[in-house]
Amino acid sequence: MLRKILLTLVGLMALVIVAAVVFVASRQNLKFDAPFPEVAASTDSAVIARGHYVVRNVANCAQCHGDTTQFAAAQGGADVPLSGGFTWDIPPGQIRARNITSDVETGIGGFTDGAIARALRHGVGSDGRALLPFMEMQGLSDEDLVAVISYLRTQAPVHNVVPAHRYTLLGKVVKATVLANPVGPSEAPPRETPHGPTVENGRYLVESVGLCWACHTQRDDNTGALVGPRFGGATGFKEPTDPAHVWAPPNITSDPATGRLGKMTEDDFVGRLRVGRILPGSPMPWQGLQRMSDDDLRAMYRYLKTVPPVSRDVGPPVADAK
């Protein structure tokens, strides 16, 4: 009797494992029918200039999509080719930033404006598959969506084949469950871009373009999910070119004891960003932020001052793990 019970249990476990394997495998290449935003690239110089400002300064797309052989130049503020190739070697696998130059074969030159807009707004690629939520630009205004696409269209093509993502078993499970569906905007993006030193503009820049929360909030090491208080700082942030060098993006709330903005006036904040990178290798995109307009920097400060203060000390700016 005991032998029969054990055999039954083993059989049930085997069925569960087989079912799990089939489930995970069946959800690796799901297709989604997200809408194509009705946008068209512009040749207007002012629109292209706005796109340059968003791509190079505020969103700092080169941090991930820049030519991997020109990382130092990018950190120095050069407009390096957005030819991709940077690899995150993390528990879910090897995740690679794509080539977003206008090259037809290896970049986005063969994509329609609508396809690029859909990828940015709805997280769905040109082949209908969900993109990983590493590029969280879903909240871009309609105006800025056009501006970004218009600017990217002006970039010289660079033929650079970026290998496909390579998932571990954990990555495949996460892709089939936690990241199975594409990530779209949490609320309707604005049609027009806010401007001026206002809280509204600051919220837009911090939450939807600069994505300050993405680094200044603690994430789960395995899934990348946000697990800490928003803007409350993070630990274990590895330097892109030297994973042994670990950084701690600080708490940027207005908590008087542990928050950076609890100790900074608006002029202090603007002045610090104008100085740029002080610590070599800092992953903070200083090269772009220091070129932002005064109005935008003041807007960001004013919005961050409205964020609930978080009492959390993540330690010194950098801890050398070598």
Side-chain angles (χ1 to χ4, degrees):
M1 179 64 71
L2 179 60
R3 185 169 178 273
K4 287 183 178 180
I5 292 174
L6 288 175
L7 287 174
T8 301
L9 289 174
V10 170
L12 288 173
M13 289 178 63
L15 285 174
V16 170
I17 292 172
V18 169
V21 169
V22 171
F23 173 79
V24 170
S26 68
R27 294 174 64 81
Q28 293 304 299
N29 295 293
L30 298 176
K31 298 292 183 73
F32 298 89
D33 189 25
F36 290 92
E38 295 182 2
V39 301
S42 171
T43 57
D44 185 289
S45 60
V47 174
I48 293 171
R50 172 66 187 182
H52 176 275
Y53 182 75
V54 171
V55 169
R56 296 293 182 176
N57 297 348
V58 191
N60 192 37
C61 303
Q63 192 87 346
C64 299
H65 292 280
D67 182 340
T68 56
T69 67
Q70 299 186 49
F71 186 77
Q75 286 208 319
D79 285 355
V80 303
L82 301 174
S83 51
F86 180 79
T87 301
W88 290 269
D89 200 350
I90 54 181
Q94 293 180 324
I95 311 301
R96 298 179 174 92
R98 313 318 300 176
N99 179 346
I100 58 172
T101 71
S102 56
D103 185 65
V104 174
E105 294 182 2
T106 65
I108 60 174
F111 298 168
T112 65
D113 295 338
I116 299 172
R118 184 174 74 162
L120 288 166
R121 169 88 28 108
H122 298 292
V124 175
S126 60
D127 59 0
R129 292 188 295 176
L131 300 175
L132 294 177
F134 275 50
M135 185 177 62
E136 297 160 300
M137 310 296 292
Q138 295 86 358
L140 281 180
S141 69
D142 291 349
E143 281 187 345
D144 277 349
L145 195 59
V146 171
V148 167
I149 295 170
S150 301
Y151 172 69
L152 291 178
R153 292 298 195 201
T154 70
Q155 298 305 286
V158 176
H159 189 85
N160 182 42
V161 178
V162 177
H165 305 318
R166 186 174 180 179
Y167 297 100
T168 61
L169 176 59
L170 171 64
K172 290 179 180 179
V173 171
V174 170
K175 187 168 180 279
T177 54
V178 180
L179 303 179
N181 297 312
V183 177
S186 58
E187 58 186 25
R191 292 182 61 83
E192 298 180 353
T193 303
H195 292 286
T198 65
V199 170
E200 177 194 16
N201 185 29
R203 179 179 184 273
Y204 174 70
L205 293 167
V206 167
E207 299 282 0
S208 300
V209 191
L211 309 181
C212 306
W213 49 270
C215 295
H216 290 275
T217 304
Q218 190 69 50
R219 290 181 180 270
D220 180 88
D221 290 338
N222 292 319
T223 66
L226 300 176
V227 294
R230 201 168 178 82
F231 300 107
T235 57
F237 195 101
K238 295 180 180 179
E239 184 175 321
T241 56
D242 185 359
H245 214 201
V246 182
W247 295 78
N251 176 344
I252 56 172
T253 71
S254 56
D255 180 71
T258 62
R260 288 296 174 88
L261 266 68
K263 305 177 178 69
M264 301 176 78
T265 66
E266 186 173 302
D267 287 341
D268 291 337
F269 179 82
V270 174
R272 173 63 192 93
L273 291 178
R274 283 276 176 258
V275 170
R277 183 173 286 100
I278 295 176
L279 297 174
S282 168
M284 178 83 162
W286 297 105
Q287 65 276 7
L289 296 173
Q290 68 182 145
R291 294 189 303 221
M292 288 178 62
S293 70
D294 274 3
D295 276 1
D296 282 350
L297 293 179
R298 292 185 184 281
M300 291 171 70
Y301 177 87
R302 293 175 189 183
Y303 170 68
L304 287 171
K305 290 296 282 187
T306 72
V307 171
V310 173
S311 179
R312 183 172 190 258
D313 189 354
V314 296
V318 60
D320 193 346
K322 292 181 181 178

